[in-house]
Amino acid sequence: MQEMIFGLLLVGLDLVLVQAISLVQVSPLFLPYPVVTVWGACLARACLLSLACTAPACPQWVRSSEGLQRICVLCFLYPVYVCLLCVRGQSAPEELWAWSSWTRVLQSYVLTMVSWLYWSKYVSSFLLSCWTCVCSFGKPSERRKAGSTSSLRRMLGYMAPYTGRFVLVFALVNLSSFGETAIPKYTGHVADWIANEDSSDLFSQTIKMMTVMTVASVLCEFICDMIYNVTMSRVHTSVQGIVFQAVMQQEMAFFDVTPTGELVSRITTDTNDLSEALSEKLSLAMWYTSRFGFLMFFMFSLSWKMSLLTLMGLPIVWFIPEITGHFHQTISAKVQESLAKANQVATETFTHIKTVRSFANEDGETERYRQRMEDTYALNKQEALAYAASTWTNSMTTLALKVGILYYGGRLVTRGMVSSGDLVSFILYELQLASTVEAFMHSYPEVRKAIGASEKIFEYLNRTPKIPPEGDLAPDSFQGHIEFKNVKFSYSGSTEDSSLVLKDVSMEIRPGQITALVGLNRCGKTTCVKLLERFYQPLAGEILLDGQPLQRYKNLYLHQKMAVVSQDCILFNRSVRENIKYGCEDASDEEMERAARLASAHHFIQELPNGYDTAAGERGGQVAGGQKQRITIARALIRRPKILILDNATSDLDTENEHQINQALQELARDCTVLLISTKMSAVENASRIIVLNNGVVEDVGTHGELLEKGGLYAEMVAKQNMGFHRQAE
């Protein structure tokens, strides 16, 4: 309230100053020098208003540099306008002495508001961007920081290899826009010739010229769109591949904390949205920017007065819908969030449909989804109202501008300042200008929205994987001798004893033997495997492979020498042949069948509908659990690994198939290191060495007989399992 009162007092003071100065300037002393008088009067007005703004009660926004700039615009707008009239050789005495009238004062306030809208929303932001670019030039750290925050600049970097194509596209855009915007000017000439009944030959030549320009404009637009869309499709494919590659290089902990759905959405949906925005919306923005430039050129050539009036109305056409559009944008974000929650319910339900069905909770999940959709419907109603309000204000402001231009242009025609044909041409240009501005207003926010939503994509690209640098060790001779030395590890990264999964593990896994790793659940057996695969890094201690630290080996070399089969056997939605040859596509069918026979899988695969070409289904859903395990074992054996790790890989197998695989392991152990992890004591009793893990430490090491004699945890686990077998037999 205090600020409003001071603002009214400031306006009242300004009106008193204007009237007082107007009385002084009409004195005989100042009459011979009208231009100097007006500039001096406006300077005195600016000084007095600036002095009033230094009062202690003056609000901060008035005393700021922006407030003083508004005062300068208000006071010096008319003197500059008068000087422009004098430069153009037009009469300006009435403007010199009428600047202090009530009409002129009111106009000065309106013009100040419009000028400040232009300045604050467009000119100042543009100058600030230029200044930022100049200041960051030559400073690598600042350029990197700016690049990380500007998705558009990053995207333009991926478009740089196709600069030649974009230059050609820009040239074609300008040629097409020029041909299209030149048509209304000839239309006005035709209107004049028809009204004056001029030469029919000139009329025919003009029609031919308009036809040629139209055809040329359409042809340029066709070639431009074709080149642009093909190029942008190529850029999109490249970006999507780069993002996918960047995600694939992240450490396993990144995938543990990042939902799979989010990763897929970023790689597919977000990159598609960005591509569509740049392919379609940015294309429209480029077209309409070029068209806007040519429209302004032709409009000023017809009537600079009507053009200035049009430019004065444009900020209002842009500003008012932007206010209503902000509310629409806020509601749209809430709608998207609500839809995401509904989609989450659907995704969760379909993913766990077996659990939902087994608990007969179909109606409950349906009700949850219906409630989410009801929330979305309520927000959709608000969005519809906001959209209608935004559209209505946009249409009304555009219509008001059209009517104002038509009224002012009619007055200029009656005064003989423009011809009726020029007015027709100008109205056609003004109609195109309004539609151009409206289209740009719709396309540009969409570009910004898509680019803003894609910032997560570039976060993935900028993210440095939290893994050691790539090793350089790839020896020709590899034995597969594994040593754990005082290894500590926790998934949270904490070194507190309560959070450690492995507390002080030291063990040796020798080549040419089957080494079994047993223990209770959550004792760290699978964690040891993950550390061997370099999915995670130990917090303390080290892991040696043939006497060399594990991190010294190349990743590709390491995973070529090592094959892991886990209890959670994952098959891809491909044929059985492709699943077995996964990562070894060059392997022959004979090698594939050999691996399948060793895994006791060849017989049942041949009985499938299409044999090895049978589709395994989503996550291997078309084959049974035991069959899935044998296929994954065959996938590991086809690599002929030097280190073979079976992590509960035979848990779903019957006794006969398990016996066959154990026999195969005895043969394989002659040429490789076998690490066998199993909860079945019968599966590990024939191992060369058995390592017992308990609560994150190695409790005991020995053979089956030696550990039974010691009577520790291993003997207790064997006894409990045998007791379970006896109860089942009874």
Side-chain angles (χ1 to χ4, degrees), residues 239-263:
V239 171
Q240 201 164 27
I242 292 172
V243 175
F244 185 84
Q245 183 182 20
V247 172
M248 290 294 293
Q249 293 175 349
Q250 302 303 317
E251 74 280 3
M252 293 303 299
F254 169 80
F255 295 96
D256 292 339
V257 299
T258 307
T260 304
E262 179 181 339
L263 290 176

Side-chain angles (χ1 to χ4, degrees), residues 374-398:
E374 286 292 334
D375 296 339
T376 303
Y377 173 68
L379 290 172
N380 278 331
K381 291 190 291 185
Q382 299 181 26
E383 184 183 22
L385 178 61
Y387 177 77
S390 178
T391 304
W392 180 80
T393 54
N394 190 21
S395 300
M396 288 300 297
T397 52
T398 304

Side-chain angles (χ1 to χ4, degrees), residues 321-392:
E322 183 177 341
I323 298 176
T324 56
H326 177 72
F327 178 70
H328 179 217
Q329 185 178 0
T330 304
I331 296 297
S332 297
K334 293 182 179 179
V335 170
Q336 294 300 319
E337 183 179 352
S338 178
L339 284 174
K341 292 180 179 179
N343 291 337
Q344 179 64 28
V345 172
T347 302
E348 187 179 46
T349 301
F350 294 146
T351 302
H352 307 292
I353 186 63
K354 294 180 180 179
T355 304
V356 174
R357 185 66 55 82
S358 63
F359 283 89
N361 195 36
E362 293 91 338
D363 293 339
E365 295 299 330
T366 302
E367 179 62 21
R368 284 185 63 207
Y369 187 75
R370 189 193 63 79
Q371 290 177 356
R372 296 295 187 189
M373 294 309 297
E374 286 292 334
D375 296 339
T376 303
Y377 173 68
L379 290 172
N380 278 331
K381 291 190 291 185
Q382 299 181 26
E383 184 183 22
L385 178 61
Y387 177 77
S390 178
T391 304
W392 180 80

Side-chain angles (χ1 to χ4, degrees), residues 570-589 592-593 596 605 608 610-617 620 631-632 634-636 638-639:
I570 301 298
L571 295 183
F572 298 96
N573 189 14
R574 307 168 191 174
S575 67
V576 174
R577 181 189 307 275
E578 291 175 299
N579 273 284
I580 294 178
K581 290 186 177 182
Y582 183 77
C584 295
E585 286 77 8
D586 296 335
S588 65
D589 289 346
M592 175 188 67
E593 291 184 9
I605 292 176
L608 294 175
N610 297 315
Y612 282 93
D613 294 322
T614 303
I631 292 175
T632 54
R635 181 170 63 193
I638 197 175
R639 307 175 70 90

Side-chain angles (χ1 to χ4, degrees), residues 10-244:
L10 195 62
V11 172
L13 175 63
D14 183 47
L15 295 177
V16 172
L17 288 175
V18 169
Q19 295 304 314
I21 294 174
S22 64
L23 294 176
V24 174
Q25 71 178 7
V26 296
S27 64
L29 180 63
F30 299 106
L31 282 176
Y33 313 102
V35 176
V36 176
T37 300
V38 170
W39 273 98
C42 292
L43 179 61
R45 179 189 179 191
C47 293
L48 293 174
L49 287 177
S50 300
L51 183 62
C53 291
T54 60
C58 178
Q60 180 62 35
W61 64 271
V62 178
R63 287 186 290 175
S64 64
S65 59
E66 293 184 354
L68 297 178
Q69 290 172 10
R70 293 189 187 99
I71 291 175
C72 292
V73 172
L74 175 68
C75 296
F76 296 108
L77 195 62
Y78 264 106
V80 172
Y81 175 67
V82 169
C83 290
L84 289 176
L85 290 179
C86 295
V87 170
R88 290 180 57 90
Q90 299 188 11
S91 177
E94 64 278 6
E95 297 290 341
L96 286 172
W97 301 113
W99 74 275
S100 57
S101 65
W102 294 107
T103 303
R104 293 293 192 270
V105 171
L106 179 60
Q107 289 178 356
S108 67
Y109 283 117
V110 174
L111 291 175
T112 301
M113 180 188 68
V114 173
S115 301
W116 191 251
L117 279 176
Y118 267 116
W119 175 265
S120 60
K121 291 185 66 63
Y122 305 105
V123 179
S124 62
S125 59
F126 174 75
L127 294 177
L128 181 61
S129 301
C130 294
W131 177 250
T132 303
C133 294
V134 171
C135 291
S136 62
F137 182 77
K139 299 179 181 179
S141 59
E142 294 187 14
R143 287 204 305 271
R144 285 195 297 268
K145 182 178 179 181
S148 63
T149 58
S150 177
S151 300
L152 178 58
R153 188 179 305 173
R154 185 72 174 269
M155 193 65 192
L156 293 177
Y158 292 111
M159 297 163 60
Y162 309 97
T163 303
R165 295 188 185 183
F166 287 112
V167 170
L168 177 59
V169 166
F170 184 73
L172 292 173
V173 165
N174 283 281
L175 289 175
S176 178
S177 298
F178 177 79
E180 184 177 349
T181 53
I183 300 299
K185 187 174 182 66
Y186 286 100
T187 305
H189 293 333
V190 169
D192 284 336
W193 293 331
I194 293 175
N196 299 326
E197 297 182 356
D198 283 347
S199 172
S200 58
D201 294 337
L202 189 58
F203 176 81
S204 301
Q205 292 177 3
T206 304
I207 295 297
K208 292 179 182 178
M209 179 62 68
M210 293 171 65
T211 304
V212 171
M213 295 184 68
T214 301
V215 172
S217 176
V218 172
L219 182 61
C220 289
E221 184 175 358
F222 170 76
I223 299 174
C224 172
D225 288 341
M226 182 179 64
I227 297 175
Y228 181 82
N229 290 326
V230 170
T231 305
M232 291 306 301
S233 297
R234 180 60 181 169
V235 172
H236 164 64
T237 303
S238 175
V239 171
Q240 201 164 27
I242 292 172
V243 175
F244 185 84

